[in-house]
Amino acid sequence: QPGVTAHRHGRMKEYIPPKKTSLLPKKIITVFGPESSGTTFIATTLGVALGIFPEKGRRFRVPSTQGGFKRVVEKQVNKRVTSDSGEWEVQHLSLPWGWHCEDPTPAKVVEALVPDECFRYEDLPDFLPLEAEARRYTLERRKRPRRMHHFVDEHGIDDEIDRPHASRRLNDADSSFNDQERVRLLRLCREEVHISQENEQNNGDIEKGWTCGTSVCGRGQYDGYAIYPKRFSVNITSHIEFYLARGVDVVVLLSTRDRTISHNSKFSSHCKIEEVVKDEDEMALTLMKEALKKYGKGGSKVKDGKPRAIAVSYEAMIGLKQAYLNNLYVNLGINSTYAPKFEDGNEKYISGKTGGESKSTIGSLVTSAVKSFPPKPLSSPLIQTEEK
């Protein structure tokens, strides 16, 4: 039955998502940040805190355009997770997202991250996003030595997605992605999300500001899809405005991490071209600064005193643990005391230093971050003095 776990596979139950009647949730939290800046950890923590992502991960089926299905294991929030009721959605998007870099050209910048049902990659427009990303991963893994296999750690998807159950065919009971359902979802993309080739032809609706979320709107049989480059960053400011125009209560978190450590981690896991690493990180920070200036506390576009861009420090969260996290829950309107396992991912990058120097480095980063994002008073009902 949709919306419940179907059966156990080892220790993890299989999740069957319900049939959607709307593609737009009521509330969205999007976690942005440069690659390797802690976005996965933050997004997964929020998903668990909201009760929309299992703490041990989830297993579900993805219909294949090749006439079968693939089982996907997400150990962490990959790109998004949505509550069955449509109340909440947590999006996770590193800047940039998509394929590993292959040439000296930095990633393109697009307007927004649209609902997955309306999302297609320009290189593989006939494939569902997860299936396209799995194919990308398979090709990239073949090019890299085994020791460079980081996909599970960075994106939360087990490589079981690469082993399709080709012997089993899709039917109405197995999948929500038959032809009739595809047509229905595309209609929702056009009518509810306002993604249509007419936007591109008319340069968008001036009064409503409808756009496709990217510079390329699908045409013909792809009308209703936003067509994305294989590697892209998102303009955070326009992402906020994209969803506000469609009646969604959206807030973005801007994840920051020590720049040297983030740079080294990205170079190791995502991109081996030094020039591209620097350019993409600079672009990510530029987009984050613009969002804070316009939608941060006291920003030029903030209405009713509600900021929609909040800076989050990875080092502060690891240092202050539950106190910092509870404060974040309060700011986001999340009623939870969930505490993940706090492990310092920076330690391996500074292990060559002496113990005293390492503690001093982390301590100074935490102090700096706390000044810019102070915790709320302990009188808040969600603040817990006991740490796990």
Side-chain angles (χ1 to χ4, degrees):
Q1 180 180 348
V4 299
T5 50
H7 58 272
R8 289 185 178 276
H9 253 293
R11 297 174 60 188
M12 192 177 295
K13 297 179 181 179
E14 183 165 289
Y15 170 73
I16 301 177
K19 184 176 181 178
K20 288 187 175 182
T21 58
S22 172
L23 302 183
L24 294 174
K26 295 179 180 179
K27 301 177 183 179
I28 288 179
I29 301 172
T30 309
V31 183
F32 287 107
E35 286 180 306
S36 299
S37 63
T39 53
T40 302
F41 175 73
I42 295 170
T44 302
T45 297
L46 296 179
V48 177
L50 285 166
I52 62 178
F53 189 79
E55 186 173 3
K56 293 183 179 180
R58 64 178 182 172
R59 180 188 296 261
F60 59 96
R61 285 179 290 179
V62 177
S64 171
T65 53
Q66 304 304 304
F69 69 88
K70 303 170 188 290
R71 282 197 173 91
V72 179
V73 176
E74 277 191 335
K75 298 180 180 178
Q76 300 165 314
V77 171
N78 178 30
K79 189 162 57 180
R80 72 180 86 220
V81 60
T82 309
S83 60
D84 291 342
S85 65
E87 180 73 17
W88 287 95
E89 178 170 288
V90 175
Q91 300 175 343
H92 156 231
L93 208 71
S94 299
L95 301 174
W97 183 270
W99 274 232
H100 284 67
C101 65
E102 299 172 345
D103 56 61
T105 305
K108 298 178 181 178
V109 178
V110 302
E111 178 193 358
L113 175 66
V114 304
D116 239 26
E117 293 81 2
C118 314
F119 181 111
R120 286 294 185 271
Y121 283 106
E122 61 184 2
D123 286 4
L124 297 167
D126 294 318
F127 290 84
L128 297 172
L130 265 177
E131 192 175 11
E133 289 164 2
R135 283 175 167 266
R136 174 266 296 182
Y137 164 59
T138 301
L139 293 174
E140 289 181 345
R141 188 176 61 171
R142 289 171 181 169
K143 296 177 183 178
R144 304 196 307 268
R146 292 184 62 85
R147 63 183 178 83
M148 286 194 61
H149 171 39
H150 293 280
F151 194 80
V152 172
D153 293 338
E154 295 293 336
H155 294 286
I157 295 184
D158 194 296
D159 68 350
E160 184 175 353
I161 193 172
D162 295 325
R163 298 193 292 273
H165 298 251
S167 61
R168 183 169 180 176
R169 305 295 296 180
L170 286 177
N171 54 48
D172 290 345
D174 277 339
S175 171
S176 62
F177 199 71
N178 50 54
D179 287 341
Q180 290 183 347
E181 182 67 1
R182 181 182 62 82
V183 171
R184 186 185 74 87
L185 291 174
L186 267 178
R187 184 181 299 115
L188 285 175
C189 290
R190 291 190 296 268
E191 298 177 358
E192 182 190 17
V193 192
H194 301 286
I195 297 174
S196 171
Q197 63 186 20
E198 294 181 1
N199 294 340
E200 189 176 61
Q201 292 169 353
N202 301 328
N203 196 26
D205 185 309
I206 302 300
E207 183 179 350
K208 292 291 186 180
W210 303 139
T211 58
C212 292
T214 69
S215 59
V216 182
C217 304
R219 293 175 174 273
Q221 64 175 322
Y222 303 113
D223 185 18
Y225 291 135
I227 309 300
Y228 284 76
K230 61 183 181 180
R231 185 171 172 83
F232 63 92
S233 287
V234 170
N235 184 317
I236 303 168
T237 301
S238 58
H239 174 86
I240 294 173
E241 294 167 352
F242 179 92
Y243 282 103
L244 288 178
R246 289 157 175 81
V248 179
D249 184 2
V250 59
V251 175
V252 301
L253 299 185
L254 309 176
S255 179
T256 63
R257 185 182 183 186
D258 177 85
R259 292 194 64 181
T260 300
I261 292 175
S262 178
H263 174 96
N264 291 342
S265 178
K266 173 173 179 171
F267 185 82
S268 172
S269 305
H270 297 287
C271 183
K272 290 292 186 180
I273 305 174
E274 182 68 28
E275 179 183 351
V276 174
V277 171
K278 291 181 179 179
D279 289 345
E280 289 182 342
D281 281 351
E282 286 298 329
M283 176 55 70
L285 293 174
T286 297
L287 296 172
M288 293 165 69
K289 290 174 184 177
E290 179 191 15
L292 275 178
K293 182 178 180 181
K294 294 182 178 179
Y295 285 101
K297 188 174 182 179
S300 61
K301 291 193 173 184
V302 171
K303 296 181 180 179
D304 302 324
K306 180 180 180 178
R308 296 191 176 277
I310 302 173
V312 179
S313 166
Y314 173 80
E315 282 80 15
M317 185 175 293
I318 295 300
L320 297 176
K321 298 181 172 62
Q322 191 64 29
Y324 188 91
L325 193 55
N326 282 337
N327 180 62
L328 185 59
Y329 290 160
V330 171
N331 278 277
L332 295 173
I334 298 175
N335 185 14
S336 177
T337 56
Y338 168 70
K341 185 177 181 181
F342 293 96
E343 294 183 348
D344 187 0
N346 290 351
E347 186 175 358
K348 61 184 177 182
Y349 293 98
I350 56 177
S351 59
K353 299 181 180 181
T354 64
E357 290 175 333
S358 296
K359 292 179 181 178
S360 174
T361 301
I362 294 295
S364 63
L365 290 168
V366 169
T367 301
S368 174
V370 171
K371 289 180 180 179
S372 62
F373 189 44
K376 287 184 176 293
L378 291 178
S379 58
S380 169
L382 293 184
I383 298 296
Q384 304 293 317
T385 56
E386 180 180 353
E387 293 184 2
K388 296 182 179 181

